[in-house]
Amino acid sequence: MFLKKGSTIVVLLLVFYQNTNSQSVDVSKRVDCYPEPGASQDACQSRGCIWTEAPSSSPVGTPWCYYPTESGFTVQSTGTNSFVLAAKTKNPYGNNISPLNVKYSSNGATLLLTIGNDDRYVPPVNFPKKPSTSTESLKFTSGTIGSSDVFSFKVTRASTGVALWDTSIGGMQFADKFIQIATYLPSKNIYGFGDHIHKKIRHNLDRYTTWPMFARDIGPDSGSALSTQNLYGVHPFYMCIEADGKAHGVFILNSNAQEVETGPGPHLLYRTIGGRIDMAFFPGPTPEQVVNQYLQHIGFPFLPAYWALGYQLCRWGYGNLDAMKTVISRNQALGIPLDVPYADIDYMNHYEDFTEGDNWSGFPAYTQQIHAQGLHLIVIFDPAVEVDYASFQRGINADASFIEWARDDQVPHNIQDQYPMAKNTKIMLGNVWPDRNTAFPDFLDPRNNTNAWWAGEFAQFHKTLPFDGMWIDMNEPSNFDTGTYNTVEEQLASAKLSCPITGSDSSLDVPPYPTQAVYQRNGEYLFSKTLCMLGKTAHRTRDFYDTKNLYGWSEARATYQAIPQVTGKRSAVISRSTFPSSGRYGGHWLGDNTARWGDLQTSVIGVMEFNMFGVPYVGSDICGFNGVSNEELCLRWHQFGAFSPFSRDHNSEGMPDQDPAVWPSVANAAKIALTFRYYFLPFLYSLHYNAARYGHTVIRPLFFEFPKDEETLNISEQFLWGSALMIAPALYQGQTSVHAYFPSDTWYSLQPETYGQKMFSGFNDVNAPLSSLTPVFVRGGFVLPRQSPGTTTTASRLSPFELLITVKTNAASSGDLYYDGGDDLIPNDDIEQHPRVHWQFSFTSSIAGGVLTGNCETCSTAVRPPTLDIIEILGYPSSPNFNGFKLDGSSVTLDMTKTSYNSANQRVMISARNMISLMALKKKFTLSFTNLNVYL
Ligand SMILES: *[C@@H]1O[C@H](CO)[C@@H](O)[C@H](O)[C@H]1NC(C)=O
Ligand SMILES: *[C@@H]1O[C@H](CO)[C@@H](O)[C@H](O)[C@H]1NC(C)=O
Ligand SMILES: *[C@@H]1O[C@H](CO)[C@@H](O)[C@H](O)[C@H]1NC(C)=O
């Protein structure tokens, strides 16, 4: 030190140093004040933020520029469950709104919180918001940060006092186009937020990570170690498992471009650039209850037609109908279960919706042919329609809305005037697959003209091509090559859609903080690969800036609502872009993945996450979409994909064929896995019914059933069907066994080589042969319905029912069976009025014998289910007396050629033709038996 002690300069420096130091925040708890590139000490401090370099030992991504803890708003006045706040801290991206309203309320056990004034934009999503129930309750308390007057709040779990949210970390902001709120979290066990590629199901909160949420046409990147890019949809929902295993969930309703930054506090920082913050806190206390409470709020999933649970085979680039026929029939010839052939965009005439290309002249006849075989057809539709053909003209005639420019003088007439049908409109023209310019239907048009026209187009086309399901793609919405302009001259010089980046018209397209969705992609804008944010939607009442993330959601709703007048039967809509409550209207495939092992691995996580998001009908493109697949990968992907609710092999244009029939080994493995799936379809369908009627998941991560078992909290490569069936697929090249975790419980193997064996708890290495069934295990204490499989669901549905009962010592076994017409509409989505039978089963046993009871919980005489003919019991310790079976007191004659007891693996098989009627008239039954060799 060259400075002399006691000198004035030294004292001043020390004072300055101490001031900074007293405010400095631990490297694990910083609220980032400079999320965009280019941070510097000067720029940081001029925002009123603190600059402290983080030592290299700090968590990855530690911000050097961060908000003082005592930053945010102060309380101006307090009302009943409400506050009026006044801005205190500078907002780097605009003036904070002041006064600012905060109010909270409860809806059953769910706690609702709104930050933002009534004049702020709220997404027009019309959630049902049914009040939730829970054994737990949440408490809202307000406070101030440190010794300051800065407002903060906590949401605590009443039973334990654990703070689920605690905003005393500071940093709250609320300007017109920059809103943020930060909170401490009670644990690092965070799940959800989407749509992203997560390499592990549990987020990594040991580092700072920002996840943008802004719907985008971009394929998942499972190739890099960490890719945070936002994919096709937006799901601002997460779940947290607290230290004691209790779960809660948090949902933020907002449809603007947004992002979340998670950090090691543990904490998170949520940012959005419009609307307001509408939060819902769900108390659980189990993970499944959290999802249930979330779905009470946003809406329960649709019930797919039964056939939609069958295997689906698709590719882009068949080129003509004959190629499609060849692929379909060669897989059928090998006995591979198959329900749904697909046609991708190449079936259309020059990619125009509602048309057929020249190479597809026999398509309607072929569709009738596959219908006669019990198969169903799904074809693709894109939202954007070319503006020079009949479909668009009918839209104009029907006064349907399309996304528009805000003003006439923004319309580029060099493009517009080429099209007589669009010439005198403000419709914003883009370029997607069709040869010429396209318009984007405005599915948020509150007058319903657009949706009525859309439904009419489907209905008219359906008369030509009797498809059964609709696959809606490109609905982020995607627009190719969106350019930029500074001046009208520049705009007119472009042959493509371009958006303003300077001047007063650019305020929505180039907002003060465009989010990481933009910063991550150097040189891009919010409108890149989509339409200009200044566009108008909802029939000129909203800015596209606000509603962009709702585009796929609104198209899915319009398409779903068209079904009654199109096919007149229950169907399935598959949408690429999703938003909370998309599951009410359709399912989702995980997008344009790549034929890589990493993509197979992340598929498992994606399927589990979309179940948390209320979109249980989900799966990845089996074998991988982009790139060249290979035999081993395609085989393993079928072994996994057979257990995705949505199970489809799909391939990109120009890639070699990858349908199972290409390789004998893949055909064999696919047949085995899919035959198992078809056998258990009644169970899978019953899970979908429970999702649609009660708001449940179909696929569950292990921690959903075992949240107090810490080991389950990061298991990303195993999953459950409901509570009972556990799948541990092989996901790595060269793998011959799976190091699978068995939570402490009773588990039986269903793999043929070890069938019926009990599995030890903890980690087991289980064989994963290429030539046999995926490792799949059933949990003790359940009753699973199944039907002997055919090669179509249509055939399988005619088989007699069977029950698989799994014994858990000293516990009853239970399960249910749902059955209905399979493809009959559910008018008004009112499943309570839908003709159906729903049986609940219970099995108990003692040293003396066993009793199976069935109780028809909902019984409609209009539905005629097959009889229950076969019962299998696993883990039954002694042989039943097969001469002593009684059904409701009367003797049952069993078919002794199919009835047996195997003491080696404790397996009972009971069979009798037409043994138990499951018709509505029955209402209930009791099947009882005694054991042989009972010495009491
Ligand atoms: C139609 O089929 C022919 C013959 O297979 C093929 O060469 C051509 O590319 C196809 N046309 C289209 C538009 O796919
Ligand atoms: C809007 O149109 C669709 C399609 O015709 C129809 O199913 C729906 O019921 C209509 N909604 C309203 C509110 O009229
Ligand atoms: C999960 O985490 C535990 C400890 O936190 C670790 O022992 C285990 O290996 C992890 N399991 C997986 C599958 O990552």
Side-chain angles (χ1 to χ4, degrees):
M1 290 281 118
F2 299 109
L3 292 168
K4 286 182 188 140
K5 266 188 189 170
S7 81
T8 318
I9 294 170
V10 170
V11 171
L12 284 176
L13 280 174
L14 279 175
V15 167
F16 177 73
Y17 176 74
Q18 277 167 357
N19 265 351
T20 316
N21 197 38
S22 69
Q23 297 175 330
S24 90
V25 173
D26 184 89
V27 290
S28 69
K29 295 176 167 56
R30 291 184 179 175
V31 177
D32 197 350
C33 181
Y34 217 107
E36 70 269 51
S40 69
Q41 181 159 2
D42 284 351
C44 173
Q45 285 168 347
S46 72
R47 289 180 176 190
C49 288
I50 307 170
W51 178 270
T52 325
E53 295 192 10
S56 58
S57 59
S58 307
V60 173
T62 301
W64 292 7
C65 179
Y66 52 94
Y67 286 91
T69 305
E70 295 169 1
S71 57
F73 289 73
T74 58
V75 176
Q76 203 173 72
S77 64
T78 303
T80 311
N81 295 353
S82 68
F83 305 88
V84 178
L85 305 183
K88 173 158 183 161
T89 305
K90 186 169 171 179
N91 187 321
Y93 314 97
N95 294 326
N96 273 325
I97 292 172
S98 192
L100 177 70
N101 290 302
V102 175
K103 54 188 175 206
Y104 63 94
S105 60
S106 54
N107 186 26
T110 300
L111 191 138
L112 304 176
L113 172 71
T114 293
I115 304 173
N117 299 345
D118 288 348
D119 61 353
R120 300 291 298 174
Y121 160 74
V122 177
V125 285
N126 194 26
F127 291 152
K129 293 192 184 171
K130 287 192 207 157
S132 66
T133 55
S134 175
T135 52
E136 299 262 335
S137 61
L138 302 178
K139 219 171 91 190
F140 180 96
T141 44
S142 65
T144 50
I145 303 179
S147 55
S148 74
D149 58 353
V150 176
F151 170 81
S152 73
F153 68 86
K154 278 186 190 179
V155 174
T156 48
R157 181 182 293 288
S159 65
T160 58
V162 168
L164 314 185
W165 260 53
D166 173 0
T167 67
S168 66
I169 194 168
M172 183 175 148
Q173 299 281 20
F174 203 119
D176 179 39
K177 292 193 183 68
F178 186 80
I179 300 166
Q180 77 173 14
I181 188 158
T183 180
Y184 292 113
L185 297 169
S187 90
K188 290 186 177 177
N189 300 318
I190 300 295
Y191 305 84
F193 290 119
D195 175 359
H196 305 108
I197 284 298
H198 295 136
K199 294 266 176 162
K200 295 274 180 208
I201 189 160
R202 182 169 63 185
H203 279 250
N204 178 359
L205 267 68
D206 293 333
R207 48 167 292 153
Y208 287 81
T209 318
T210 303
W211 301 95
M213 290 182 277
F214 191 55
R216 162 98 181 193
D217 171 7
I218 192 159
D221 172 10
S222 302
S224 38
L226 172 67
S227 166
T228 57
Q229 73 189 6
N230 52 279
L231 305 179
Y232 312 98
V234 167
H235 292 275
F237 170 74
Y238 74 90
M239 184 184 295
C240 173
I241 310 291
E242 297 145 52
D244 60 2
K246 285 186 174 160
H248 68 269
V250 179
F251 169 56
I252 305 174
L253 172 60
N254 183 288
S255 66
N256 286 85
Q258 57 194 278
E259 63 202 19
V260 64
E261 183 174 332
T262 55
H267 68 284
L268 70 75
L269 167 55
Y270 173 83
R271 303 186 192 101
T272 180
I273 60 171
R276 60 183 199 183
I277 296 186
D278 275 309
M279 300 184 70
F281 296 84
F282 310 106
T286 70
E288 185 63 20
Q289 285 165 337
V290 169
V291 173
N292 185 246
Q293 290 150 0
Y294 178 40
L295 300 189
Q296 300 272 5
H297 190 73
I298 64 169
F300 295 168
F302 83 111
L303 181 65
Y306 199 88
W307 57 260
L309 300 185
Y311 176 62
Q312 316 190 358
L313 197 48
C314 183
R315 80 156 298 148
W316 174 23
Y318 278 132
N320 59 60
L321 179 63
D322 286 340
M324 175 173 170
K325 285 180 177 173
T326 304
V327 169
I328 297 305
S329 59
R330 75 183 175 210
N331 286 280
Q332 288 178 314
L334 293 172
I336 293 163
L338 171 59
D339 269 78
V340 189
Y342 267 71
D344 202 330
I345 51 173
D346 38 325
Y347 82 86
M348 298 179 195
N349 182 32
H350 293 262
Y351 308 123
E352 292 171 359
D353 275 341
F354 316 115
T355 67
E356 285 169 74
D358 294 341
N359 279 357
W360 295 74
S361 56
F363 205 11
Y366 179 58
T367 307
Q368 270 150 20
Q369 204 179 313
I370 63 172
H371 282 168
Q373 297 173 26
L375 274 63
H376 292 81
L377 177 72
I378 295 184
V379 289
I380 196 168
F381 299 91
D382 289 334
V385 292
E386 197 168 277
V387 290
D388 62 355
Y389 77 120
S391 285
F392 180 69
Q393 183 65 60
R394 284 190 292 267
I396 295 290
N397 295 349
D399 195 19
S401 295
F402 296 86
I403 310 284
E404 290 189 349
W405 294 91
R407 298 188 315 269
D408 267 325
D409 63 292
Q410 294 167 333
V411 176
H413 285 281
N414 59 325
I415 300 173
Q416 211 83 2
D417 293 0
Q418 296 170 26
Y419 300 100
M421 297 177 198
K423 189 173 175 181
N424 296 314
T425 72
K426 289 186 294 201
I427 296 170
M428 187 179 283
L429 302 188
N431 295 85
V432 206
W433 292 112
D435 298 346
R436 303 189 70 205
N437 286 85
T438 53
F440 294 75
D442 175 13
F443 299 109
L444 292 175
D445 179 351
R447 305 168 311 155
N448 209 30
N449 293 27
T450 312
N451 293 4
W453 158 74
W454 185 246
E457 289 304 301
F458 277 106
Q460 178 159 336
F461 183 55
H462 187 264
K463 291 195 183 103
T464 311
L465 182 71
F467 58 86
D468 303 284
M470 295 102 124
W471 171 23
I472 54 175
D473 193 14
M474 305 294 286
N475 53 7
E476 292 72 27
S478 178
N479 183 62
F480 299 157
D481 313 319
T482 312
T484 63
Y485 70 83
N486 292 285
T487 62
V488 171
E489 290 69 32
E490 264 180 50
Q491 184 191 15
L492 294 179
S494 171
K496 297 270 167 95
L497 172 65
S498 47
C499 310
I501 53 168
T502 51
S504 57
D505 277 356
S506 70
S507 64
L508 297 174
D509 284 281
V510 190
Y513 180 73
T515 76
Q516 296 301 321
V518 168
Y519 293 123
Q520 272 187 356
R521 300 184 176 95
N522 245 331
E524 290 205 351
Y525 296 89
L526 283 172
F527 54 77
S528 298
K529 198 105 194 242
T530 190
L531 303 177
C532 308
M533 297 296 122
L534 61 69
K536 285 291 185 184
T537 66
H539 190 49
R540 303 170 186 152
T541 60
R542 298 282 181 213
D543 297 320
F544 187 63
Y545 175 84
D546 291 322
T547 65
K548 196 260 193 193
N549 284 333
L550 296 175
Y551 196 82
W553 172 88
S554 64
E555 189 199 13
R557 182 179 62 171
T559 307
Y560 178 80
Q561 288 177 346
I563 290 169
Q565 72 190 84
V566 178
T567 68
K569 292 188 173 155
R570 192 145 31 105
S571 176
V573 173
I574 310 300
S575 178
R576 192 167 74 182
S577 186
T578 59
F579 190 78
S581 84
S582 278
R584 295 172 78 178
Y585 311 116
H588 175 64
W589 86 103
L590 293 170
D592 294 347
N593 63 9
T594 300
R596 280 185 302 217
W597 290 93
D599 290 66
L600 169 57
Q601 291 144 20
T602 56
S603 293
V604 183
I605 296 167
V607 167
M608 293 192 278
E609 287 180 336
F610 270 88
N611 271 266
M612 291 186 218
F613 298 152
V615 189
Y617 186 58
V618 60
S620 62
D621 280 350
I622 294 173
C623 303
F625 175 72
N626 289 309
V628 179
S629 199
N630 64 73
E631 184 173 356
E632 186 185 355
L633 177 63
C634 195
L635 189 157
R636 292 304 197 189
W637 215 318
H638 273 94
Q639 287 183 328
F640 157 66
F643 294 91
S644 298
F646 173 71
S647 183
R648 181 184 74 167
D649 180 332
H650 181 36
N651 194 4
S652 187
E653 192 190 35
M655 294 301 140
D657 282 347
Q658 58 180 34
D659 52 292
V662 170
W663 301 278
S665 69
V666 179
N668 179 56
K671 184 172 170 177
I672 291 169
L674 290 167
T675 300
F676 182 95
R677 173 192 180 89
Y678 276 47
Y679 197 10
F680 283 85
L681 278 181
F683 178 52
L684 183 62
Y685 193 49
S686 300
L687 291 170
H688 276 284
Y689 170 68
N690 283 306
R693 187 176 178 204
Y694 301 111
H696 282 296
T697 56
V698 171
I699 300 295
R700 295 178 195 161
L702 262 57
F703 74 81
F704 267 51
E705 295 287 321
F706 304 94
K708 292 185 193 320
D709 177 348
E710 269 187 50
E711 198 68 56
T712 65
L713 297 180
N714 59 352
I715 291 187
S716 304
E717 298 181 347
Q718 290 171 241
F719 58 95
L720 295 154
W721 274 19
S723 302
L725 210 61
M726 179 165 75
I727 298 95
L731 304 169
Y732 294 84
Q733 187 172 16
Q735 193 175 9
T736 56
S737 67
V738 176
H739 191 58
Y741 184 67
F742 293 81
S744 178
D745 208 333
T746 309
W747 297 98
Y748 300 97
S749 169
L750 293 182
Q751 289 187 282
E753 299 79 9
T754 49
Y755 193 88
Q757 277 181 20
K758 278 193 193 171
M759 307 302 297
F760 291 108
S761 296
F763 281 99
N764 282 324
D765 286 316
V766 295
N767 277 331
L770 292 163
S771 56
S772 185
L773 181 64
T774 318
V776 50
F777 309 90
V778 63
R779 187 173 167 194
F782 291 91
V783 179
L784 288 73
R786 61 190 186 193
Q787 269 170 306
S788 176
T791 52
T792 63
T793 60
T794 309
S796 305
R797 270 173 59 84
L798 304 176
S799 300
F801 277 108
E802 307 183 7
L803 293 180
L804 171 65
I805 300 172
T806 60
V807 174
K808 177 172 169 170
T809 310
N810 298 325
S813 302
S814 60
D816 65 332
L817 165 65
Y818 173 71
Y819 191 82
D820 65 6
D823 66 354
D824 48 341
L825 280 174
I826 303 176
N828 307 316
D829 290 334
D830 186 0
I831 209 159
E832 294 299 336
Q833 303 301 319
H834 185 56
R836 67 202 192 275
V837 294
H838 184 221
W839 282 88
Q840 290 169 330
F841 304 110
S842 172
F843 178 76
T844 53
S845 59
S846 68
I847 193 156
V851 181
L852 172 69
T853 59
N855 173 38
C856 197
E857 179 260 341
T858 309
C859 283
S860 165
T861 50
V863 175
R864 306 180 65 80
T867 51
L868 170 56
D869 287 14
I870 295 175
I871 295 166
E872 175 178 357
I873 311 174
L874 291 180
Y876 198 74
S878 47
S879 175
N881 172 6
F882 294 122
N883 295 317
F885 274 65
K886 296 227 189 294
L887 178 63
D888 298 326
S890 307
S891 296
V892 182
T893 307
L894 300 177
D895 176 352
M896 289 312 294
T897 64
K898 294 177 185 158
T899 295
S900 61
Y901 179 68
N902 181 334
S903 57
N905 64 3
Q906 303 197 328
R907 178 183 183 203
V908 182
M909 288 297 298
I910 302 154
S911 181
R913 210 174 128 84
N914 300 334
M915 179 162 49
I916 300 172
S917 168
L918 296 175
M919 296 284 195
L921 285 175
K922 251 320 251 189
K923 293 256 186 312
K924 54 174 68 168
F925 69 81
T926 302
L927 179 75
S928 57
F929 55 88
T930 54
N931 294 336
L932 284 179
N933 308 325
V934 179
Y935 305 105
L936 291 171

